[in-house]
Amino acid sequence: MPTPSMEDYLERIYLLIEEKGYARVSDIAEGLEVHPSSVTKMVQKLDRSGYLVYEKYRGLILTSKGKKIGKRLVYRHDLLEEFMKIIGVDKENIYADVEGIEHHLSWDAIDRIGDLVQYFEEKPDRVDELRIIQKKNDTVEEQP
């Protein structure tokens, strides 16, 4: 299983390939806000671990193992963002919150969150009820 850092790289590489058809070291560095030399080291490590094939100056391609993990990591991130929206987290906090928790949840927890998101999507009136509870709780907290 990849480390949290490896996961960040695989997720970014997967997204770049989906969006542009390729992933360059410079694009990965920009997306993750790291130095290109750090990307090169990690890409070499991911190559040795069988997640991608990297040829210096020629680029990289994800292996089937890398694609599978990358797709699952993107799903996890998107699911957690959707969950945060449903439970009413302020929009400006969602990305940072997801980045902060995504590596600390088991896949079992992710699957259960997926069930909860599905439940709320299938029963939107429950989201309305949740908002009423949140509004009531926010009002109680504001009172002295």
Side-chain angles (χ1 to χ4, degrees), residues 57-89:
Y57 307 117
R58 302 235 11 200
L60 56 92
I61 57 168
L62 290 170
T63 62
S64 58
K65 176 181 169 182
K67 284 180 192 172
K68 182 178 177 183
I69 295 280
K71 186 174 184 177
R72 180 116 174 148
L73 295 171
V74 170
Y75 163 78
R76 177 181 70 185
H77 188 98
D78 292 346
L79 176 69
L80 290 172
E81 281 192 5
E82 187 59 30
F83 176 68
M84 295 289 179
K85 289 177 194 170
I86 288 171
I87 64 172
V89 173

Side-chain angles (χ1 to χ4, degrees), residues 103-119:
H103 300 295
H104 302 285
L105 296 172
S106 68
W107 285 104
D108 182 44
I110 296 297
D111 290 341
R112 298 299 66 83
I113 290 170
D115 296 340
L116 193 56
V117 167
Q118 181 181 349
Y119 170 77

